[in-house]
């Protein structure tokens, strides 16, 4: 009896779910590359994905880039500091990281410490919140970095979070949730 029910279920299964079977194979359209431009990835662009955070309309936007091989935290930071590509600029992306001078990166365990060059003693600018967010979100989007802290002149640096509060300890992407698109 159980064998009969199992055989009946196998025979009626495909018909019962509303999917019709084709008599011959057919071509299936493949979707284009996901991204903002809709253009296919350039030939030889690479198989690894680098996740950078850029700025559009005062918000942090995750931007995937194809690279030949996985990049370490130093190379990720260098790519971020280089700013958006021409294609990304055409898509309305900018970078707020240009408001500061990054002079070093030290990795201890999963904490990255970023050294910021001399800063004028003035109130925090709104674009600095985005700049610190770009760095934190970019570095913590990879497995090698869990938290990011900042220093200047050998001292911990209080940096703004998305909510406007200052933090002098380790930061994560969660500290910038309010700015993420």
């Amino acid at each position: 009896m159980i064998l009969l029910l199992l055989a009946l279920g196998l025979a009626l299964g495909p018909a019962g779910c509303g999917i019709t079977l084709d008599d011959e194979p057919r071509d299936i359209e493949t979707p284009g590359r996901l991204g903002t431009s809709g253009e296919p990835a350039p030939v030889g662009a690479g198989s690894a994905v680098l996740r950078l955070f850029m700025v559009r309309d005062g918000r942090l936007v995750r931007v995937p880039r194809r690279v030949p091989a996985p990049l370490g935290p130093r190379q990720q930071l260098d790519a971020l500091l280089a700013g958006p590509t021409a294609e990304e600029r055409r898509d309305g992306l900018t970078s707020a990281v240009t408001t500061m001078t990054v002079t070093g990166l030290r990795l201890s365990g999963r904490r990255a410490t970023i050294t910021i060059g001399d800063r004028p003693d003035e109130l925090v600018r709104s674009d600095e919140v985005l700049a610190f967010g770009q760095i934190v979100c970019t570095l913590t989007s990879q497995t090698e970095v869990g938290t990011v802290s900042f220093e200047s002149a050998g001292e911990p640096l209080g940096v703004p979070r998305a909510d406007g509060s200052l933090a002098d300890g380790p930061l994560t992407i969660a500290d910038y949730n309010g700015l993420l698109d």
Side-chain angles (χ1 to χ4, degrees):
M1 178 72 165
I2 293 177
L3 247 20
L4 179 61
L5 288 175
L6 183 59
L8 186 58
L10 288 174
L12 295 177
C17 67
I19 299 174
T20 58
L21 299 175
D22 293 335
D23 292 332
E24 295 183 27
R26 63 183 165 120
D27 290 333
I28 298 175
E29 290 183 32
T30 55
R33 175 178 67 102
L34 295 178
T36 55
S37 72
E39 295 295 320
V43 176
S47 59
V49 177
L50 172 63
R51 292 172 198 91
L52 300 175
F53 282 78
M54 296 292 171
V55 176
R56 180 187 294 130
D57 299 326
R59 311 275 300 159
L60 297 172
V61 178
R62 185 172 69 171
V63 178
R65 282 189 193 166
R66 289 262 183 221
V67 292
L71 301 180
R74 164 58 67 191
Q75 292 83 19
Q76 293 169 340
L77 184 59
D78 290 343
L80 180 64
L81 294 172
T85 64
E87 180 182 355
E88 291 164 352
R89 284 191 302 276
R90 282 191 301 274
D91 287 337
L93 297 168
T94 63
S95 177
V97 179
T98 58
T99 64
M100 64 179 61
T101 304
V102 176
T103 60
L105 179 146
R106 189 174 65 253
L107 195 59
S108 177
R110 293 189 62 230
R111 179 182 292 176
T113 302
I114 306 298
T115 303
I116 303 297
D118 293 335
R119 291 180 50 194
D121 292 329
E122 59 183 49
L123 295 174
V124 174
R125 297 168 29 162
S126 62
D127 54 354
E128 281 190 332
V129 174
L130 293 168
F132 286 114
Q134 280 185 262
I135 294 170
V136 171
C137 294
T138 294
L139 291 178
T140 60
S141 70
Q142 304 296 328
T143 57
E144 299 90 349
V145 178
T147 61
V148 179
S149 58
F150 294 86
E151 67 182 16
S152 182
E155 297 294 322
L157 183 63
V159 299
R161 293 182 179 116
D163 65 6
S165 65
L166 290 179
D168 60 4
L171 298 160
T172 68
I173 195 169
D175 291 296
Y176 297 94
N177 274 343
L179 293 174
L180 296 173
D181 247 354

